[in-house]
Amino acid sequence: MIEPLTIPISITWKDHHIQLLDQRKLPATIEYVDLKTVDQVFEAIVNMTVRGAPAIGITAAFGLAMGAMQSTKDQLEEFQEEVLAIKEKLASSRPTAVNLFWALDRVSKAAESATSVNEAKTTLLQEAIQLQAEDEQMCRDIGEYALELLNSSEPVLTICNAGSIATAKYGTALAPFHLASERGTQFEVYACETRPVLQGARLTAWELQQSGVNVTLITDSMAAQTIRAKGIKAIIVGADRIASNGDTANKIGTFNLAILAKEFNIPFYVAAPSSTFDLTIDSGIEIPIEERHPDEVRKIQGISIAPENVPVYNPAFDVTPADYITAIITEKGIIKAPYITGINSLIS
Ligand SMILES: CSC[C@@H](O)[C@@H](O)C(=O)COP(=O)(O)O
């Protein structure tokens, strides 16, 4: 029997404001925060109350619509200037995940041809609601394609949280596990803890347990030993931005896993919706890599684990060159090398 996925929804539009599942508090507490101003939306993306490329995009889309609805301008031109300023503010929250810019562009473009302020406000909100609904469907479709490549009797490794709470629902890299679970089949999944912010330990381990998936947590440095000792047969990860040539930015540590996959001769899959492709850039060199606060490395959950002022390098993402990627799984189908050709025909 098919049991629908029971993971909490991370982003909910509540008529006039946004409600977010507070991902910073998981797994200890399931708590929601209400965002009623554009500044609060900006902060929630920066401080990772909401995180994960598609979820950031959806939140920003609702943030733009909410800010526009709160506008008191009655002249269309002045209103549009205000919308542009809100868009620029939200776009400056995090630099790497292209879904943020894609979502803001899509929602603002939809309202460009509006002939009145009221029509523009309605269109902005409708587009944000539509974008969220489409993301859920895209994630389901990604999950179905991923199930064509993965075998539920073989252990799989993942990093970070490319799961339901990082999207509208189901996730990207975790979608096949949730779909299989709904159908009564449990995958065996190894989750890297994903230092420094621990999305793997706090979010993926929790999310997969909620869904009944057979998940085991490891620290990031245990990946090679786990692949050998536990017979990992595939690695699957999400993405924050994929360049035209297939180079893929994802959570820091992803490239390490791709190198291991090559060494152990196992497939390395990237799962992402078309909103994660950036066809304006040729290769991964052009992807901006976010560097976050040093205290994320000096501390774990607020507790110091290093000298207070030790210098830190804290890139939040790395770029895996396309040659290391066995296939990119999208909602439109599975893309294999040569990526330029596949991406152009399927995504653009
Ligand atoms: C479906 S989420 C895909 C990616 O956004 C995910 O793998 C990731 O790297 C998230 O990074 P985060 O810094 O937690 O936003």
Side-chain angles (χ1 to χ4, degrees):
M1 197 182 90
I2 295 182
E3 287 289 338
L5 185 59
T6 52
I7 313 296
I9 299 294
S10 61
I11 309 150
T12 310
W13 175 250
K14 294 272 184 188
D15 276 346
H16 292 93
H17 74 275
I18 302 164
Q19 190 171 75
L20 292 182
L21 173 66
D22 192 339
Q23 298 197 32
R24 298 167 305 172
K25 304 264 172 73
L26 289 170
T29 320
I30 296 184
E31 207 172 289
Y32 293 87
V33 289
D34 292 313
L35 310 180
K36 298 188 172 168
T37 66
V38 170
D39 283 350
Q40 287 173 344
V41 177
F42 172 83
E43 262 313 303
I45 297 174
V46 171
N47 70 24
M48 296 171 81
T49 303
V50 62
R51 34 65 51 200
I56 292 170
I58 296 163
T59 305
F62 279 124
L64 185 60
M66 184 182 73
M69 283 163 74
Q70 291 168 352
S71 171
T72 52
K73 302 274 190 295
D74 46 20
Q75 297 302 312
L76 189 57
E77 208 169 303
E78 285 177 24
F79 169 81
Q80 276 162 346
E81 273 169 28
E82 193 175 338
V83 170
L84 185 63
I86 297 169
K87 184 181 164 189
E88 281 168 4
K89 161 105 189 166
L90 292 173
S92 66
S93 54
R94 292 191 76 186
T96 304
V98 77
N99 308 59
L100 170 68
F101 313 104
W102 170 86
L104 288 168
D105 280 346
R106 174 171 156 176
V107 171
S108 55
K109 272 204 187 96
E112 257 170 20
S113 55
T115 52
S116 72
V117 169
N118 276 345
E119 187 195 338
K121 287 181 177 176
T122 309
T123 309
L124 284 161
L125 181 59
Q126 277 170 349
E127 196 66 14
I129 291 170
Q130 174 72 15
L131 189 145
Q132 185 177 32
E134 282 175 22
D135 188 68
E136 179 176 336
Q137 186 56 47
M138 289 194 293
C139 288
R140 273 199 78 99
D141 294 343
I142 288 170
E144 297 290 359
Y145 281 117
L147 284 172
E148 291 179 11
L149 298 172
L150 300 172
N151 184 336
S152 61
S153 62
E154 296 176 344
V156 182
L157 181 70
T158 190
I159 188 168
C160 194
N161 173 267
S164 195
I165 57 173
T167 62
K169 203 174 174 187
Y170 292 101
T172 57
L174 302 191
F177 312 136
H178 288 310
L179 287 183
S181 228
E182 280 188 351
R183 293 162 194 172
T185 305
Q186 271 70 47
F187 267 87
E188 188 183 352
V189 179
Y190 285 81
C192 291
E193 65 171 351
T194 321
R195 270 286 281 152
V197 181
L198 299 171
Q199 291 93 332
R202 295 186 306 102
L203 308 177
T204 293
W206 169 81
E207 182 181 314
L208 291 181
Q209 277 193 337
Q210 300 297 302
S211 190
V213 177
N214 178 4
V215 59
T216 302
L217 178 64
I218 60 168
T219 70
D220 302 325
S221 53
M222 295 172 188
Q225 168 64 14
T226 304
I227 293 170
R228 186 153 59 192
K230 299 294 180 185
I232 299 290
K233 292 290 184 296
I235 298 177
I236 187 165
V237 301
D240 288 84
R241 195 186 291 226
I242 302 173
S244 306
N245 70 345
D247 290 354
T248 296
N250 190 50
K251 180 51 54 195
I252 192 72
T254 299
F255 183 27
N256 299 33
L257 295 184
I259 294 168
L260 288 178
K262 198 165 234 176
E263 175 64 26
F264 283 96
N265 200 22
I266 57 172
F268 181 84
Y269 299 124
V270 170
S274 46
S275 50
T276 305
F277 288 77
D278 182 354
L279 303 186
T280 68
I281 58 171
D282 294 332
S283 79
I285 294 171
E286 294 168 74
I287 300 176
I289 299 296
E290 177 183 13
E291 284 187 37
R292 292 186 59 89
H293 197 282
D295 278 351
E296 285 185 353
V297 176
R298 290 189 199 117
K299 298 179 180 181
I300 295 184
Q301 305 252 272
I303 297 170
S304 278
I305 53 151
E308 220 174 282
N309 293 320
V310 69
V312 161
Y313 172 50
N314 183 17
F317 302 95
D318 58 26
V319 175
T320 300
D323 321 345
Y324 288 81
I325 299 169
T326 312
I328 303 177
I329 306 161
T330 77
E331 81 281 10
K332 297 182 179 177
I334 297 165
I335 307 174
K336 291 191 174 170
Y339 288 107
I340 295 207
T341 321
I343 290 171
N344 265 318
S345 64
L346 219 56
I347 304 300
S348 52

